[in-house]
Short mmCIF file of all heavy atoms in Angstrom, two decimals:
data_model
loop_
_atom_site.label_atom_id
_atom_site.label_comp_id
_atom_site.label_asym_id
_atom_site.label_seq_id
_atom_site.Cartn_x
_atom_site.Cartn_y
_atom_site.Cartn_z
N LEU Y 1 25.00 22.90 18.80
CA LEU Y 1 23.65 23.48 18.76
C LEU Y 1 23.70 25.00 18.76
O LEU Y 1 22.82 25.66 18.19
CB LEU Y 1 22.83 22.97 19.95
CG LEU Y 1 22.39 21.50 19.86
CD1 LEU Y 1 21.72 21.06 21.15
CD2 LEU Y 1 21.45 21.30 18.67
N ALA Y 2 24.74 25.57 19.41
CA ALA Y 2 24.86 27.04 19.42
C ALA Y 2 25.03 27.59 18.00
O ALA Y 2 24.58 28.71 17.70
CB ALA Y 2 26.06 27.45 20.28
N LYS Y 3 25.64 26.80 17.12
CA LYS Y 3 25.82 27.23 15.72
C LYS Y 3 24.49 27.31 14.98
O LYS Y 3 24.39 27.94 13.93
CB LYS Y 3 26.74 26.25 14.99
CG LYS Y 3 28.20 26.31 15.43
CD LYS Y 3 28.87 27.57 14.89
CE LYS Y 3 30.34 27.61 15.23
NZ LYS Y 3 31.00 28.84 14.72
N PHE Y 4 23.46 26.66 15.54
CA PHE Y 4 22.14 26.66 14.90
C PHE Y 4 21.10 27.35 15.79
O PHE Y 4 19.91 27.05 15.71
CB PHE Y 4 21.72 25.23 14.59
CG PHE Y 4 22.66 24.51 13.65
CD1 PHE Y 4 23.69 23.72 14.15
CD2 PHE Y 4 22.55 24.66 12.28
CE1 PHE Y 4 24.58 23.09 13.31
CE2 PHE Y 4 23.43 24.02 11.42
CZ PHE Y 4 24.45 23.24 11.93
N GLY Y 5 21.59 28.25 16.66
CA GLY Y 5 20.69 29.00 17.52
C GLY Y 5 19.91 28.13 18.49
O GLY Y 5 18.80 28.49 18.90
N PHE Y 6 20.48 26.99 18.87
CA PHE Y 6 19.84 26.02 19.78
C PHE Y 6 18.48 25.58 19.26
O PHE Y 6 17.58 25.23 20.03
CB PHE Y 6 19.73 26.58 21.20
CG PHE Y 6 21.06 26.77 21.86
CD1 PHE Y 6 21.67 28.01 21.89
CD2 PHE Y 6 21.74 25.70 22.42
CE1 PHE Y 6 22.91 28.20 22.48
CE2 PHE Y 6 22.99 25.87 23.00
CZ PHE Y 6 23.58 27.12 23.03
N SER Y 7 18.33 25.57 17.94
CA SER Y 7 17.07 25.13 17.31
C SER Y 7 17.30 23.77 16.65
O SER Y 7 18.09 23.65 15.71
CB SER Y 7 16.61 26.14 16.26
OG SER Y 7 15.57 25.60 15.46
N LEU Y 8 16.60 22.74 17.16
CA LEU Y 8 16.71 21.42 16.55
C LEU Y 8 16.15 21.42 15.12
O LEU Y 8 16.64 20.69 14.26
CB LEU Y 8 15.97 20.39 17.40
CG LEU Y 8 16.61 20.03 18.74
CD1 LEU Y 8 15.71 19.08 19.52
CD2 LEU Y 8 17.98 19.41 18.56
N THR Y 9 15.14 22.28 14.88
CA THR Y 9 14.56 22.38 13.53
C THR Y 9 15.62 22.85 12.53
O THR Y 9 15.79 22.26 11.46
CB THR Y 9 13.37 23.36 13.53
OG1 THR Y 9 12.43 22.94 14.51
CG2 THR Y 9 12.71 23.40 12.16
N GLU Y 10 16.36 23.91 12.91
CA GLU Y 10 17.41 24.42 12.03
C GLU Y 10 18.54 23.40 11.88
O GLU Y 10 19.11 23.24 10.79
CB GLU Y 10 17.96 25.74 12.58
CG GLU Y 10 17.03 26.92 12.39
CD GLU Y 10 17.72 28.24 12.75
OE1 GLU Y 10 18.97 28.31 12.66
OE2 GLU Y 10 17.01 29.19 13.13
N PHE Y 11 18.86 22.73 12.97
CA PHE Y 11 19.94 21.75 12.95
C PHE Y 11 19.63 20.63 11.94
O PHE Y 11 20.44 20.31 11.07
CB PHE Y 11 20.16 21.18 14.35
CG PHE Y 11 21.17 20.07 14.43
CD1 PHE Y 11 22.51 20.30 14.15
CD2 PHE Y 11 20.79 18.79 14.80
CE1 PHE Y 11 23.46 19.29 14.22
CE2 PHE Y 11 21.73 17.77 14.88
CZ PHE Y 11 23.06 18.02 14.59
N PHE Y 12 18.44 20.04 12.06
CA PHE Y 12 18.10 18.93 11.17
C PHE Y 12 17.79 19.39 9.75
O PHE Y 12 17.93 18.62 8.79
CB PHE Y 12 16.95 18.10 11.75
CG PHE Y 12 17.39 17.19 12.85
CD1 PHE Y 12 17.13 17.48 14.18
CD2 PHE Y 12 18.13 16.05 12.57
CE1 PHE Y 12 17.56 16.66 15.20
CE2 PHE Y 12 18.56 15.20 13.58
CZ PHE Y 12 18.28 15.51 14.90
N ALA Y 13 17.39 20.66 9.59
CA ALA Y 13 17.23 21.20 8.24
C ALA Y 13 18.60 21.27 7.54
O ALA Y 13 18.71 20.97 6.34
CB ALA Y 13 16.61 22.59 8.30
N ALA Y 14 19.63 21.64 8.31
CA ALA Y 14 20.99 21.68 7.76
C ALA Y 14 21.48 20.26 7.44
O ALA Y 14 22.14 20.03 6.42
CB ALA Y 14 21.93 22.36 8.74
N VAL Y 15 21.13 19.32 8.33
CA VAL Y 15 21.53 17.92 8.11
C VAL Y 15 20.89 17.39 6.82
O VAL Y 15 21.53 16.67 6.03
CB VAL Y 15 21.13 17.03 9.31
CG1 VAL Y 15 21.34 15.56 9.00
CG2 VAL Y 15 21.91 17.44 10.55
N ALA Y 16 19.63 17.77 6.58
CA ALA Y 16 18.91 17.28 5.39
C ALA Y 16 19.52 17.79 4.09
O ALA Y 16 19.30 17.22 3.02
CB ALA Y 16 17.44 17.68 5.47
N LYS Y 17 20.31 18.88 4.19
CA LYS Y 17 20.96 19.43 2.99
C LYS Y 17 22.24 18.68 2.63
O LYS Y 17 22.77 18.85 1.54
CB LYS Y 17 21.26 20.92 3.20
CG LYS Y 17 20.02 21.78 3.29
CD LYS Y 17 20.38 23.23 3.58
CE LYS Y 17 19.11 24.08 3.75
NZ LYS Y 17 19.45 25.48 4.11
N VAL Y 18 22.74 17.89 3.58
CA VAL Y 18 23.94 17.09 3.31
C VAL Y 18 23.49 15.80 2.62
O VAL Y 18 22.59 15.12 3.08
CB VAL Y 18 24.69 16.73 4.62
CG1 VAL Y 18 25.96 15.94 4.32
CG2 VAL Y 18 25.02 17.98 5.41
N THR Y 19 24.10 15.50 1.50
CA THR Y 19 23.67 14.33 0.72
C THR Y 19 24.82 13.36 0.49
O THR Y 19 25.99 13.71 0.62
CB THR Y 19 23.11 14.76 -0.65
OG1 THR Y 19 24.13 15.47 -1.36
CG2 THR Y 19 21.89 15.63 -0.48
N GLY Y 20 24.45 12.15 0.18
CA GLY Y 20 25.42 11.13 -0.19
C GLY Y 20 24.87 10.29 -1.33
O GLY Y 20 23.69 10.40 -1.67
N LYS Y 21 25.74 9.50 -1.93
CA LYS Y 21 25.32 8.65 -3.05
C LYS Y 21 25.78 7.22 -2.83
O LYS Y 21 26.77 6.97 -2.14
CB LYS Y 21 25.91 9.19 -4.36
CG LYS Y 21 25.42 10.57 -4.76
CD LYS Y 21 26.08 11.03 -6.04
CE LYS Y 21 25.58 12.42 -6.45
NZ LYS Y 21 26.24 12.88 -7.69
N TYR Y 22 25.04 6.31 -3.43
CA TYR Y 22 25.44 4.91 -3.39
C TYR Y 22 24.96 4.21 -4.66
O TYR Y 22 24.12 4.74 -5.40
CB TYR Y 22 24.89 4.20 -2.15
CG TYR Y 22 23.39 4.04 -2.12
CD1 TYR Y 22 22.76 2.94 -2.69
CD2 TYR Y 22 22.59 5.00 -1.51
CE1 TYR Y 22 21.38 2.79 -2.66
CE2 TYR Y 22 21.20 4.87 -1.48
CZ TYR Y 22 20.61 3.76 -2.06
OH TYR Y 22 19.25 3.61 -2.03
N CYS Y 23 25.49 3.02 -4.92
CA CYS Y 23 25.09 2.23 -6.08
C CYS Y 23 24.23 1.06 -5.62
O CYS Y 23 24.53 0.42 -4.60
CB CYS Y 23 26.32 1.69 -6.81
SG CYS Y 23 27.42 2.97 -7.43
N GLU Y 24 23.15 0.81 -6.33
CA GLU Y 24 22.30 -0.34 -6.00
C GLU Y 24 23.08 -1.65 -6.18
O GLU Y 24 22.87 -2.62 -5.44
CB GLU Y 24 21.06 -0.35 -6.89
CG GLU Y 24 20.06 0.73 -6.56
CD GLU Y 24 19.31 0.47 -5.27
OE1 GLU Y 24 19.54 -0.57 -4.62
OE2 GLU Y 24 18.48 1.32 -4.89
N VAL Y 25 23.97 -1.68 -7.15
CA VAL Y 25 24.81 -2.86 -7.39
C VAL Y 25 26.26 -2.37 -7.53
O VAL Y 25 26.53 -1.44 -8.29
CB VAL Y 25 24.40 -3.61 -8.68
CG1 VAL Y 25 25.31 -4.80 -8.92
CG2 VAL Y 25 22.94 -4.05 -8.60
N GLY Y 26 27.15 -3.00 -6.78
CA GLY Y 26 28.55 -2.61 -6.89
C GLY Y 26 28.90 -1.44 -5.98
O GLY Y 26 28.09 -1.00 -5.14
N THR Y 27 30.12 -0.91 -6.15
CA THR Y 27 30.65 0.14 -5.29
C THR Y 27 30.83 1.42 -6.09
O THR Y 27 31.28 1.39 -7.23
CB THR Y 27 32.00 -0.29 -4.70
OG1 THR Y 27 31.84 -1.55 -4.04
CG2 THR Y 27 32.51 0.72 -3.69
N LEU Y 28 30.48 2.55 -5.44
CA LEU Y 28 30.65 3.85 -6.06
C LEU Y 28 32.13 4.19 -6.17
O LEU Y 28 32.85 4.18 -5.16
CB LEU Y 28 29.92 4.92 -5.23
CG LEU Y 28 29.79 6.33 -5.82
CD1 LEU Y 28 28.81 6.32 -6.98
CD2 LEU Y 28 29.34 7.30 -4.74
N LYS Y 29 32.61 4.50 -7.38
CA LYS Y 29 34.02 4.89 -7.58
C LYS Y 29 34.06 6.13 -8.47
O LYS Y 29 33.51 6.14 -9.57
CB LYS Y 29 34.80 3.74 -8.24
CG LYS Y 29 35.02 2.55 -7.32
CD LYS Y 29 35.84 1.46 -8.01
CE LYS Y 29 36.04 0.27 -7.06
NZ LYS Y 29 36.80 -0.81 -7.70
N ASP Y 30 34.72 7.19 -7.92
CA ASP Y 30 34.84 8.45 -8.66
C ASP Y 30 33.48 8.97 -9.10
O ASP Y 30 33.32 9.51 -10.21
CB ASP Y 30 35.76 8.27 -9.89
CG ASP Y 30 37.17 7.81 -9.49
OD1 ASP Y 30 37.65 8.30 -8.46
OD2 ASP Y 30 37.75 7.00 -10.21
N GLY Y 31 32.46 8.79 -8.23
CA GLY Y 31 31.13 9.33 -8.50
C GLY Y 31 30.30 8.54 -9.49
O GLY Y 31 29.20 8.98 -9.86
N ALA Y 32 30.81 7.38 -9.94
CA ALA Y 32 30.07 6.59 -10.94
C ALA Y 32 29.88 5.17 -10.45
O ALA Y 32 30.65 4.65 -9.63
CB ALA Y 32 30.83 6.58 -12.27
N CYS Y 33 28.82 4.52 -10.94
CA CYS Y 33 28.52 3.13 -10.58
C CYS Y 33 29.00 2.20 -11.70
O CYS Y 33 29.13 2.62 -12.86
CB CYS Y 33 27.01 2.95 -10.37
SG CYS Y 33 26.36 3.87 -8.98
N PRO Y 34 29.23 0.92 -11.38
CA PRO Y 34 29.64 -0.04 -12.41
C PRO Y 34 28.59 -0.14 -13.52
O PRO Y 34 27.39 -0.07 -13.27
CB PRO Y 34 29.74 -1.36 -11.63
CG PRO Y 34 29.95 -0.95 -10.21
CD PRO Y 34 29.20 0.33 -10.04
N GLY Y 35 29.06 -0.31 -14.75
CA GLY Y 35 28.16 -0.48 -15.89
C GLY Y 35 27.45 0.78 -16.33
O GLY Y 35 26.49 0.74 -17.09
N GLY Y 36 27.89 1.94 -15.80
CA GLY Y 36 27.29 3.21 -16.20
C GLY Y 36 25.97 3.52 -15.53
O GLY Y 36 25.29 4.48 -15.90
N ALA Y 37 25.55 2.71 -14.54
CA ALA Y 37 24.28 2.96 -13.84
C ALA Y 37 24.37 4.26 -13.03
O ALA Y 37 25.43 4.61 -12.52
CB ALA Y 37 23.96 1.79 -12.91
N ALA Y 38 23.25 4.96 -12.92
CA ALA Y 38 23.23 6.23 -12.18
C ALA Y 38 23.23 5.95 -10.67
O ALA Y 38 22.49 5.08 -10.19
CB ALA Y 38 21.99 7.02 -12.56
#
């Protein structure tokens, strides 16, 4: 929390900038989904 000035607002704003990806069908491999799906 000290890294974010003890502000939960700043902390969760930084968390919201971290993203991840997944495939609706199948497993994500090398950033792509099976069958060319986004």
Side-chain angles (χ1 to χ4, degrees):
L1 287 174
K3 289 287 184 181
F4 300 94
F6 293 98
S7 168
L8 289 176
T9 304
E10 286 189 26
F11 175 65
F12 282 104
V15 171
K17 293 177 183 177
V18 182
T19 59
K21 297 178 180 179
Y22 67 88
C23 300
E24 288 288 359
V25 179
T27 306
L28 189 71
K29 290 182 180 179
D30 301 322
C33 295

